[in-house]
């Protein structure tokens, strides 16, 4: 009698396992990114790049090393980025800031690390700036970095969460000059 129960239990488990394999995972799950969350000072290593967020700040006006400047509501993230295994295709291709379901791309106007080619073993440092709508100073923002500027499904994404309300808002901030990695 005991062997019949064991066999019946085994068959039930096999049928259940087969049933689980027949349930489709869904497009969102099968195409999702490989997200690594970091805090200030942490280093995240993805498929093609390693990212360390060194500082995050906010300002009413930003400027860069060549004299460009703009007023507005700006979030500035200082980062150190390098290629991991190969320099082929290794760029900081996309940086986005998500707040309440809205996505803001990093500004391409100031001199920044956005779009810069990366080198293995030689980190590049600098800033990335995001312009926010006027008056947006509260809420939780998620900042994401990846190598692809088009399709980041099935790729590494470094993610950093920041509470906008806890940031100190400066009147003016100069973006960190680009340094390292053959800049």
């Amino acid at each position: 009698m005991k062997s019949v129960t064991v066999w019946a239990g085994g068959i039930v488990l096999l049928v259940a396992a087969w049933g689980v394999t027949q349930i489709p995972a869904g497009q969102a799950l099968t195409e999702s990114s490989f997200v690594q969350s970091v805090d200030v000072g942490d280093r995240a290593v993805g498929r093609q790049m390693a990212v360390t967020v060194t500082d995050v700040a906010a300002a009413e006006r930003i400027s860069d090393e060549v004299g460009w400047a703009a007023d507005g509501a700006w979030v500035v993230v200082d980062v150190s980025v390098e290629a991991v295994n190969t320099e082929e295709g290794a760029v900081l291709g996309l940086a986005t800031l998500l707040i309440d379901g809205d996505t803001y791309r990093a500004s391409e106007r100031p001199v920044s690390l956005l779009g810069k080619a990366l080198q293995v073993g030689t980190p590049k440092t600098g800033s990335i700036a995001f312009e926010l709508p006027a008056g947006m100073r509260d809420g939780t923002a998620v900042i994401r970095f990846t190598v692809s500027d088009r399709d980041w499904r099935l790729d590494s994404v470094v993610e950093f969460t920041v509470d906008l309300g806890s940031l100190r808002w400066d009147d003016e901030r100069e973006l960190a000059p680009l340094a390292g990695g053959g800049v």
Side-chain angles (χ1 to χ4, degrees):
M1 184 68 171
K2 184 177 179 182
S3 65
V4 171
T5 305
V6 170
W7 276 98
I11 291 172
V12 167
L13 289 174
L14 285 173
V15 170
W18 175 82
V20 168
T21 65
Q22 301 308 305
I23 300 170
Q27 186 174 1
L29 184 60
T30 59
E31 295 180 352
S32 63
S33 301
F34 300 93
V35 177
Q36 294 189 19
S37 297
V38 296
D39 290 319
V40 173
D42 290 345
R43 183 174 191 255
V45 179
R47 178 179 61 85
Q48 278 188 299
M49 70 176 180
V51 176
T52 303
V53 175
T54 57
D55 190 25
V56 62
E60 297 293 331
R61 178 179 179 82
I62 62 168
S63 59
D64 67 14
E65 60 188 292
V66 296
W68 177 90
D71 294 328
W74 293 92
V75 172
V76 178
V77 182
D78 293 339
V79 292
S80 173
V81 188
E82 67 182 289
V84 176
N85 297 315
T86 180
E87 294 171 3
E88 185 176 335
V91 298
L92 181 55
L94 182 66
T96 59
L97 183 139
L98 290 84
I99 304 172
D100 296 329
D102 293 325
T103 302
Y104 304 92
R105 290 177 64 111
S107 180
E108 297 176 358
R109 295 180 291 163
V111 173
S112 74
L113 285 172
L114 190 63
K116 299 296 187 233
L118 306 176
Q119 294 180 342
V120 175
T122 308
K124 285 187 177 184
T125 60
S127 299
I128 302 286
F130 300 92
E131 186 172 13
L132 303 178
M136 184 176 285
R137 292 178 175 235
D138 294 317
T140 300
V142 177
I143 299 168
R144 293 182 176 157
F145 302 102
T146 188
V147 293
S148 176
D149 65 347
R150 290 183 182 84
D151 188 5
W152 46 329
R153 295 174 295 174
L154 297 174
D155 204 348
S156 302
V157 174
V158 175
E159 191 172 272
F160 171 70
T161 302
V162 61
D163 177 12
L164 296 177
S166 70
L167 293 178
R168 182 186 81 247
W169 283 78
D170 297 327
D171 291 334
E172 186 169 349
R173 179 178 175 99
E174 183 173 346
L175 300 182
L178 299 181
V183 172

